[in-house]
Amino acid sequence: MKKNFLKVLIALLAVNMFSSCRKQLDVNPRGRITEANYYSKPSDALEALISVYDVVGNQSGGYLTKVNILSAACDDHYAGGDSPSDIADLQTINNYTLTSTSGAASHLWNKGFTGVYRANVFLSKIEGITGLNATTKSRYVAEVKALRAFFYFDLVKLFKNCPLLLLPVEPDKLFDVEQVPADQIYAQVIKDLTEAMPNLPVTVPAASEGGRLTQGAAHAILGKVYMWQQKWTEAAAEFALVNGPSPGNSQYGYRLLTNYADLWNWKNKFNSESILEIVYNTTSNMGWGNVGSGEGNVMSILVGPRNYVPVIAAQAPDYISGWSFLPFTQEFFDLIHYDPRNKPTVANLDSLEKAGIVTYKHANANTGYFIEKYAGRVSTKASIGQLELNFGQDMYEIRLADTYMLEAEALLKSGAGVGAGSKAYVMFNAVRARVGLNPLPVTMENIMKERRLELAAEGHRWFDLVRWGLAPTVLASKGFIANKNEILPIPQQDLSNTKIKQSKEWGGTL
């Protein structure tokens, strides 16, 4: 493929037939893609494929993303912002006052079903495209099936009770869509991933196809599916395929980066630790009037310290003045303070201010500890568009340290040996060794702590707490209610005048 995948993605955003696509399952079909004169030539197939990928990194016009929503919901962060009402949808999930009309739930529901919709349209049209060779067609189909599985996996984790749509729904049938048991969703996710794997590439050239799905990514997603189903042996087998027999020996070329901080160098895209990466860039020219429509990463402006002013310029980091969202809690900072991952993870404005090096506004829920991993800097700002909105910092959906720890956990829970020299012990402690820490026994307590420190602010903590059954206890102080807040409410917009029902956890009947 001669064109850079990301450049094609940006170009697609200007194509009217895709820009009109509704980013939701919305039962009102107005504004859907016009397909009559499309899907006729190979370039149409590529652009349609990219439109499915586009949903993976979707950001709402209200600055919502999967990562910032789930970060606000977990115990490592407060919602923050300028005031307790700033980006209300983050505040309501932070204190568990969200409802079925909350934008946080709506964004995640809409994002997932936009991806499903685009995948289904693609799969229904691909056979009618002429001039596309069989190998390319098989790969495209595999990518889209794996993407559909990815979207449905998020939907079933977040909402449990979802419609299972495998074909584009005709307009006159939209009001008749019904949900299916979660087991059926999981079965379809496994089926899609299993069917996709043989036709996905083992590796892709980063320069031209970085961000596209590979066999390793599909196995990693499937491993996570089995973890949620508590199928420990099956999960361990999938992660073993991803991770290899020992650290650095993956059949897919994955290996931990030597320097943990290098993971957050915004130019270090598609590195050897990246399994599935959410891609952003500095060239999409996104502005205040079209937030969410471009490919700049809005997290970089969201998490920066508000009213940031260097006082001693030579000693001050070149942070941009941001909006103070998602500050780390004092509890989390105390946990990571003396860990080698502290500085690459936490922007310690508290320390800088006390030293007289900088000043910043002590905004809502301020602790002085901000997210360093995504922090926007003057040196990383875009050169075109609204500069604050067009940062090119990629984010990891899955990286190797995550799958190392998950394999260790799956082996532990399956009853496999986890003592010194075992596979679980070696993989778990490879994560610690990378940052210069001594080995520890493979116990759930150690795994839970290591995941919290290693993957901080990457969107995993809330899912982990729910998966481990710890959310009601750990998040009680934030308002989490057991047997309710483990899932999100189905948006009201999709309950009205349809057969879709609210989950019983949220007062419904399903």
Side-chain angles (χ1 to χ4, degrees):
M1 190 178 294
K2 295 182 179 179
K3 293 186 178 179
N4 183 286
F5 190 66
L6 305 181
K7 292 180 179 178
V8 177
L9 180 58
I10 298 163
L12 175 63
L13 296 172
V15 179
N16 288 335
M17 70 174 60
F18 287 104
S19 63
S20 64
C21 182
R22 301 289 292 275
K23 296 187 176 181
Q24 55 190 44
L25 175 62
D26 196 347
V27 294
N28 182 347
R30 290 175 297 175
R32 293 291 191 193
I33 301 170
T34 301
E35 303 162 7
N37 297 315
Y38 205 68
Y39 297 100
S40 60
K41 55 187 184 295
S43 60
D44 296 342
L46 176 60
E47 290 181 346
L49 171 67
I50 296 167
S51 80
V52 186
Y53 271 103
D54 182 49
V55 184
V56 175
N58 175 262
Q59 304 170 125
S60 82
Y63 305 98
L64 297 176
T65 68
K66 182 173 75 171
V67 171
N68 66 35
I69 290 170
L70 298 181
S71 294
C74 82
D75 57 328
D76 288 347
H77 304 272
Y78 298 114
D82 194 32
S83 71
S85 61
D86 197 1
I87 306 189
D89 293 322
L90 291 182
Q91 308 294 337
T92 58
I93 197 157
N94 173 75
N95 56 29
Y96 288 92
T97 58
L98 77 163
T99 68
S100 62
T101 59
S102 165
S106 294
H107 170 70
L108 294 172
W109 176 272
N110 297 343
K111 172 187 171 79
F113 278 108
T114 298
V116 169
Y117 171 78
R118 293 188 184 186
N120 287 342
V121 170
F122 180 94
L123 293 171
S124 71
K125 298 291 185 179
I126 185 69
E127 293 301 327
I129 296 178
T130 59
L132 194 63
N133 71 62
T135 300
T136 301
K137 182 184 293 185
S138 295
R139 179 184 176 185
Y140 285 5
V141 168
E143 288 179 90
V144 172
K145 283 188 174 182
L147 285 167
R148 182 170 67 182
F150 171 79
F151 297 131
Y152 259 127
F153 183 38
D154 268 354
L155 285 165
V156 73
K157 286 186 295 181
L158 290 165
F159 297 97
K160 188 174 74 171
N161 299 307
C162 302
L164 179 57
L165 308 176
L166 301 178
L167 294 170
V169 181
E170 295 299 322
D172 61 345
K173 302 294 184 182
L174 283 167
F175 292 91
D176 297 323
V177 168
E178 296 184 83
Q179 294 132 298
V180 302
D183 286 350
Q184 291 187 32
I185 303 289
Y186 279 111
Q188 185 62 46
V189 168
I190 293 169
K191 182 176 184 290
D192 275 348
L193 289 170
T194 303
E195 290 179 354
M197 285 171 186
N199 293 316
L200 290 172
V202 173
T203 61
V204 295
S208 58
E209 297 185 21
R212 294 180 70 171
L213 283 163
T214 61
Q215 288 181 14
H219 282 294
I221 296 168
L222 184 54
K224 291 195 170 203
V225 172
Y226 287 138
M227 292 295 285
W228 272 83
Q229 294 186 304
Q230 298 186 6
K231 296 180 178 179
W232 312 122
T233 301
E234 293 90 337
E238 292 299 321
F239 293 128
L241 291 172
V242 177
N243 299 335
S246 61
N249 288 302
S250 168
Q251 64 180 313
Y252 302 116
Y254 302 132
R255 66 182 185 279
L256 296 176
L257 296 187
T258 303
N259 182 6
Y260 181 79
D262 287 346
L263 286 161
W264 318 110
N265 181 334
W266 76 282
K267 293 183 178 180
N268 199 14
K269 297 174 184 281
F270 318 125
N271 57 67
S272 65
E273 192 166 335
S274 176
I275 296 174
L276 182 56
E277 190 163 326
I278 303 174
V279 183
Y280 298 100
N281 62 65
T282 61
T283 60
S284 69
N285 203 22
M286 188 161 65
W288 298 116
N290 63 338
V291 172
S293 66
E295 301 305 316
N297 189 345
V298 300
M299 282 287 282
S300 294
I301 183 70
L302 282 169
V303 304
R306 189 174 290 267
N307 296 351
Y308 175 76
V309 177
V311 176
I312 304 177
Q315 299 180 41
D318 66 332
Y319 299 131
I320 58 156
S321 182
W323 300 344
S324 289
F325 281 94
L326 304 176
F328 285 111
T329 63
Q330 185 69 50
E331 178 199 2
F332 175 80
F333 180 73
D334 290 344
L335 185 68
I336 202 172
H337 191 184
Y338 298 107
D339 187 277
R341 289 161 290 204
N342 177 18
K343 288 187 177 180
T345 301
V346 181
N348 192 336
L349 273 293
D350 178 70
S351 178
L352 290 169
E353 184 182 55
K354 286 177 179 176
I357 296 172
V358 307
T359 63
Y360 72 101
K361 181 177 180 178
H362 290 205
N364 179 47
N366 177 66
T367 60
Y369 311 122
F370 298 89
I371 300 176
E372 175 69 30
K373 289 180 176 180
Y374 313 133
R377 292 174 175 267
V378 173
S379 56
T380 61
K381 287 176 71 172
S383 58
I384 62 171
Q386 192 65 43
L387 308 186
E388 296 92 335
L389 297 177
N390 289 283
F391 285 93
Q393 178 72 58
D394 283 5
M395 300 170 76
Y396 302 103
E397 179 69 31
I398 308 175
R399 60 183 176 90
L400 194 61
D402 179 16
T403 59
Y404 277 12
M405 290 185 286
L406 286 172
E407 183 178 2
E409 181 183 345
L411 288 167
L412 173 66
K413 290 187 173 180
S414 70
V418 296
S422 68
K423 179 74 180 300
Y425 184 91
V426 170
M427 304 312 287
F428 173 70
N429 283 297
V431 177
R432 293 178 55 79
R434 186 256 295 274
V435 294
L437 293 172
N438 292 328
L440 286 176
V442 178
T443 66
M444 276 309 300
E445 181 180 1
N446 287 339
I447 288 171
M448 289 188 290
K449 181 179 179 181
E450 202 65 32
R451 286 186 64 80
R452 188 178 185 185
L453 294 171
E454 173 74 22
L455 303 173
E458 296 179 48
H460 299 283
R461 176 66 175 172
W462 186 85
F463 279 134
D464 279 347
L465 290 174
V466 171
R467 182 170 62 84
W468 292 327
L470 297 177
T473 301
V474 173
L475 300 175
S477 63
K478 297 188 90 173
F480 189 102
I481 299 172
N483 302 315
K484 176 182 180 180
N485 292 125
E486 288 87 352
I487 60 174
L488 302 182
I490 293 169
Q492 186 62 44
Q493 66 188 17
D494 285 294
L495 298 174
S496 303
N497 302 316
T498 74
K499 292 183 178 180
I500 294 177
K501 299 175 182 178
Q502 186 59 271
S503 301
K504 63 182 181 181
E505 291 89 343
W506 286 89
T509 59
L510 192 63

